[in-house]
Amino acid sequence: MHRIPRDHPRYESLMLRQKMVRGSERGLAVKEGLLAHGRGEAFDYLLGERTSSEAKAAARAAAALLLMAKRPVLSVNGNVASLVPGEMVRLATALPGSVIEVNLFHRTEARARAIAAELGSAARKLGVRQLLILSDRTDARLPGLSSDRAKCHRLGMFSADVVLVPLEDGDRAQALKRCGKKVVAIDLNPLSRTARAADVTIVDNVVRALPELIRQVGALRTASPRRLTEIAGSFDNRQNLGRALGRILRRLGRLSRERVPSDRSA
Ligand code: PTJ
């Protein structure tokens, strides 16, 4: 691995790239995942590479939905396993009755097992013993999906009432909605089909969104069911996505008026 100097102005972004490259070399992420990461980087760049107030509001509504769920399922793909395996485990332990399920677009059973092993090793490092991770040997299909993303588990996505889908293509989010499930998405692209199909979309980098979501779950852990219903019910995803787009527009407007546009992320 190439050493990135700590004082490099793009240190964090470059380190994330290295995580993705390592994830791909270790057979967790596919090459297409590297391209998807690049698209995410571009949106993150436009958003200013920080967690916005819209992302925080969405994370709060997402926490409320996940805490109210009877069968919450956290979906993991190759990019998520490369970037945030530990955070995924921490979120699962914070949500009673939750299950982690490996769900892949470019599915191979070997990669599903490798991702489960990565999550298992993150769980051991965190001292987590009781965690259900579903990966290979799927036993159900999500109706209305022709891709391999349809392959799922009866004990997981198939019977879930709320599903967290960080960073994915839009077809499954739409299929999950058609099955009557609530969908929470994490996606830097506020225009994506996933972002638009979900009930709650956190427009933020998954590396910042998950810690924020874990924090909000902790903060709402003792809230009454009535309070949780209020929080989830008062959230308007379309409006929040509009605000995220507005944030990008305002930022670009500001930069375009500067004589020599200077952006800290450039
Ligand atoms: O591991 P697999 O086989 O399931 O494949 C995973 C990928 C990511 C290749 C697959 O789901 C895919 O092709 O996704 P898309 O259609 O490229 O969508 C990925 C979305 O995630 C895009 O809207 C990106 O902007 C967004 N994104 C990329 N990186 C991040 C991100 N969102 C949040 N955090 C990121 N780090």
Side-chain angles (χ1 to χ4, degrees):
M1 269 292 131
H2 186 72
R3 195 186 75 83
I4 313 282
R6 265 207 169 269
D7 60 354
H8 192 289
R10 302 289 306 150
Y11 177 77
E12 278 165 33
S13 174
L14 294 176
M15 289 304 287
L16 285 188
R17 278 192 186 174
Q18 288 218 334
K19 277 193 181 178
M20 279 306 306
V21 169
R22 236 182 102 59
S24 146
E25 285 169 355
R26 294 173 56 222
L28 302 174
V30 281
K31 291 199 176 108
E32 290 83 346
L34 300 176
L35 299 173
H37 183 79
R39 186 192 303 170
E41 271 187 353
F43 276 101
D44 208 7
Y45 198 90
L46 295 176
L47 283 157
E49 296 178 316
R50 60 175 76 109
T51 300
S52 63
S53 51
E54 297 82 51
K56 283 188 185 161
R60 187 169 156 80
L65 266 186
L66 287 162
L67 282 165
M68 280 193 296
K70 291 199 170 54
R71 301 181 75 87
V73 169
L74 313 181
S75 180
V76 173
N77 66 12
N79 288 43
V80 172
S82 305
L83 293 174
V84 279
E87 286 79 357
M88 218 58 202
V89 168
R90 282 176 52 220
L91 179 61
T93 54
L95 290 168
S98 67
V99 169
I100 291 186
E101 179 164 352
V102 179
N103 180 277
L104 302 175
F105 184 70
H106 308 277
R107 189 175 180 97
T108 67
E109 296 309 297
R111 190 156 71 94
R113 282 194 294 275
I115 290 173
E118 181 73 4
L119 293 164
S121 132
R124 277 191 299 283
K125 277 189 204 140
L126 289 165
V128 174
R129 283 164 191 275
Q130 288 207 324
L131 178 61
L132 181 56
I133 302 172
L134 302 167
S135 57
D136 54 345
R137 285 180 290 186
T138 52
D139 55 6
R141 281 190 75 88
L142 268 185
L145 258 189
S146 51
S147 77
D148 272 356
R149 273 213 191 282
K151 292 182 179 169
C152 65
H153 293 81
R154 277 191 183 278
L155 278 180
M157 211 148 316
F158 191 77
S159 54
D161 52 353
V162 179
V163 186
L164 173 72
V165 291
L167 210 163
E168 69 154 34
D169 58 301
D171 290 3
R172 184 175 51 141
Q174 288 166 338
L176 288 167
K177 285 299 304 166
R178 281 197 299 273
C179 295
K181 300 173 197 298
K182 295 274 184 200
V183 175
V184 174
I186 301 175
D187 193 331
L188 276 160
N189 178 2
L191 298 167
S192 76
R193 281 176 306 136
T194 304
R196 298 194 160 255
D199 296 277
V200 175
T201 306
I202 306 173
V203 180
D204 199 4
N205 197 314
V206 71
V207 301
R208 294 188 299 269
L210 275 185
E212 175 65 17
L213 183 53
I214 294 165
R215 198 182 68 72
Q216 300 266 12
V217 165
L220 291 176
R221 204 167 40 90
T222 54
S224 66
R226 196 172 147 189
R227 181 80 193 110
L228 294 176
T229 311
E230 267 169 21
I231 293 171
S234 61
F235 181 80
D236 182 333
N237 203 42
R238 284 288 164 133
Q239 195 179 64
N240 209 53
L241 288 173
R243 289 192 180 126
L245 273 178
R247 178 173 293 276
I248 294 177
L249 272 175
R250 282 195 306 280
R251 188 155 184 276
L252 291 180
R254 259 197 322 272
L255 287 170
S256 70
R257 286 190 296 276
E258 284 177 16
R259 265 207 282 165
V260 184
S262 64
D263 180 358
R264 73 176 183 90
S265 51

